[in-house]
Amino acid sequence: MEQISQKFWQSIRKSKKSWLLSTVGGETGNKAVTVMWRKHFSALLNSSKNCGIGNFVHQNIISHGNFEGIDELMCNSFKIKSLLHKLPLNHAAGKDGIFAEHIFYVDSSVCNHLSSLFNVCLVHGKIPQECMQTVIVPICKNKNGNISDAWNYRPVSLATIISKLFEHYILSCISPLLATTDNQFGFKAKHGTDMCIFLQQTVSYYVNKDIPVFSAFLDASKAFDRTNHNLLFSKLIKRNVPMCIVRLLLSWYRQQTSWDQPGWDALGSMVVNHLMFADDIYICVFSPSISGLQCLLNICGDYAAEHKITFNCNKIIGVLFCPKKYKQPAPSNFFLKGVRVQPLDQVKYLGV
């Protein structure tokens, strides 16, 4: 019996050996597939460079003073040491081949050199080209789906570990300026999506009081990849982010390649989700009237149009939570910018 068991697991391991597809996106061969990925991600990623926002930023730099408050932003070795624990260990390296472990376990004197490097970057508003290089890796979304379909892959940028550490430093400087509503739980310190469980309790409370709850669940399509950076930089200025940081981020963004994105991991997720939008949106109205939900949908639609956000038509869902005596089907006549909200009897939101 034991030998049979060993043979069984050996066969399972053989069946799970990694392999590469010969054809992806209708292309065959390493060169053809590489060109295909380049065109595919170029169409997907929002890498357009609008000079108008650059002029607007530079005008604000002149009027506010580029080095205003820069002394308070100067980095030191103690600050670097305090940020080392934020580096992702056991992760792939960037194009430079440096892993997080190299920085985490290196001699403490290196922190002095890193702090000097970050200070020079802040003063001059530039980042060394080697630090900005990223590697785009396509990651399969659904392994049970069509793995030869290019749309079944999401692009993941492998940034250099130096740039990731610099991101955390910048984030530590500007995070107090990125306050958001109390209704947002993702990308916030001491918060998590598991805290959204209160929504279930709130809905249950109103239903037990014989009050129906009209709800809609919205999901932005390729939200982070299609971020409108022009609006993003404008919002940074309006939040009084120091101009030396705005100038640095703008330079970082403009020096990306034609089909790449800045390797902003922690910084990009925090800034985008705090200033632009939060994905996986849930809106609801605790009222016998259904007009309130359509009003909220109109607000979301107008905001999406202004910020160039596209909602996934297949994931716009309407649900009616109501007492048993409330004889009415799920919402079926709601629209988001002309797209009909799909009525369902139940929905799974953030795992709940």
Side-chain angles (χ1 to χ4, degrees):
M1 180 65 71
E2 186 175 344
Q3 292 180 348
I4 295 175
S5 178
Q6 290 178 352
K7 290 181 179 179
F8 170 77
W9 288 113
Q10 287 176 357
S11 63
I12 293 296
R13 294 189 189 97
K14 289 180 180 179
S15 66
K16 289 188 175 182
K17 283 187 176 181
S18 61
W19 52 280
L20 296 176
L21 289 174
S22 59
T23 302
V24 181
E27 300 292 343
T28 303
N30 294 341
K31 185 175 181 179
V33 171
T34 301
V35 174
M36 183 277 300
W37 283 129
R38 184 183 184 91
K39 293 180 179 178
H40 179 73
F41 291 145
S42 178
L44 174 63
L45 300 178
N46 178 13
S47 58
S48 61
K49 303 172 180 61
N50 189 322
C51 296
I53 183 63
N55 295 332
F56 173 72
V57 171
H58 289 308
Q59 289 175 3
N60 276 269
I61 289 176
I62 295 173
S63 60
H64 291 83
N66 183 30
F67 301 104
E68 182 179 346
I70 197 171
D71 292 338
E72 300 176 1
L73 299 175
M74 289 291 97
C75 187
N76 55 57
S77 60
F78 299 102
K79 185 65 175 181
I80 296 294
K81 291 178 182 178
S82 67
L83 295 173
L84 290 179
H85 72 280
K86 294 183 178 293
L87 294 178
L89 302 180
N90 300 318
H91 280 58
K95 192 173 182 179
D96 59 359
I98 300 178
F99 290 85
E101 286 80 358
H102 289 139
I103 305 298
F104 193 83
Y105 296 110
V106 78
D107 186 79
S108 58
S109 61
V110 173
C111 293
N112 295 323
H113 299 292
L114 289 174
S115 62
S116 298
L117 171 64
F118 293 171
N119 289 334
V120 170
C121 292
L122 283 173
V123 171
H124 295 280
K126 299 286 184 180
I127 299 177
Q129 188 65 40
E130 293 76 7
C131 294
M132 293 188 294
Q133 293 179 338
T134 60
V135 178
I136 301 293
V137 180
I139 302 297
C140 184
K141 298 178 185 178
N142 182 11
K143 295 182 179 179
N144 295 324
N146 184 5
I147 57 177
S148 63
D149 182 8
W151 289 102
N152 192 26
Y153 292 81
R154 65 166 57 92
V156 175
S157 297
L158 299 181
T160 63
I161 201 65
I162 301 299
S163 69
K164 288 185 178 181
L165 186 60
F166 194 29
E167 283 183 57
H168 286 294
Y169 171 68
I170 294 176
L171 193 57
S172 68
C173 296
I174 68 175
S175 56
L177 304 173
L178 304 179
T180 64
T181 172
D182 293 335
N183 295 330
Q184 181 177 338
F185 301 95
F187 301 96
K188 295 178 68 174
K190 299 180 181 179
H191 286 71
T193 53
D194 56 330
M195 298 176 68
C196 289
I197 192 67
F198 92 94
L199 288 173
Q200 184 181 15
Q201 299 171 349
T202 304
V203 169
S204 299
Y205 171 81
Y206 280 92
V207 170
N208 292 334
K209 296 290 185 180
D210 294 335
I211 300 176
V213 179
F214 294 91
S215 307
F217 297 81
L218 313 178
D219 181 81
S221 178
K222 307 293 182 183
F224 188 78
D225 297 328
R226 293 172 174 166
T227 299
N228 189 314
H229 290 83
N230 295 343
L231 289 174
L232 182 60
F233 286 116
S234 298
K235 288 177 178 285
L236 287 174
I237 294 174
K238 292 177 181 178
R239 289 293 186 101
N240 295 320
V241 171
M243 283 300 154
C244 58
I245 292 182
V246 175
R247 183 184 66 162
L248 176 69
L249 295 178
L250 180 63
S251 172
W252 195 343
Y253 172 69
R254 281 182 163 178
Q255 292 184 56
Q256 65 178 315
T257 60
S258 60
W259 67 296
D260 193 7
Q261 290 249 53
W264 299 341
D265 185 6
L267 177 63
S269 300
M270 177 72 77
V271 171
V272 170
N273 282 275
H274 279 225
L275 298 184
M276 297 292 288
F277 60 86
D279 202 2
D280 295 319
I281 301 171
Y282 170 71
I283 58 177
C284 61
V285 176
F286 305 105
S287 170
S289 172
I290 64 175
S291 60
L293 180 58
Q294 184 60 61
C295 181
L296 291 178
L297 287 171
N298 293 339
I299 294 174
C300 291
D302 293 340
Y303 186 90
E306 179 184 355
H307 292 75
K308 314 301 181 184
I309 300 171
T310 302
F311 288 110
N312 190 334
C313 298
N314 298 323
K315 294 184 179 180
I316 302 177
I317 299 171
V319 179
L320 170 63
F321 301 98
C322 61
K324 294 182 179 180
K325 69 177 184 178
Y326 195 84
K327 304 293 184 181
Q328 183 169 333
S332 58
N333 57 340
F334 294 103
F335 295 88
L336 178 63
K337 284 297 179 181
V339 178
R340 181 172 175 268
V341 176
Q342 179 185 357
L344 289 180
D345 295 329
Q346 59 183 358
V347 65
K348 187 175 183 179
Y349 180 67
L350 298 176
V352 180

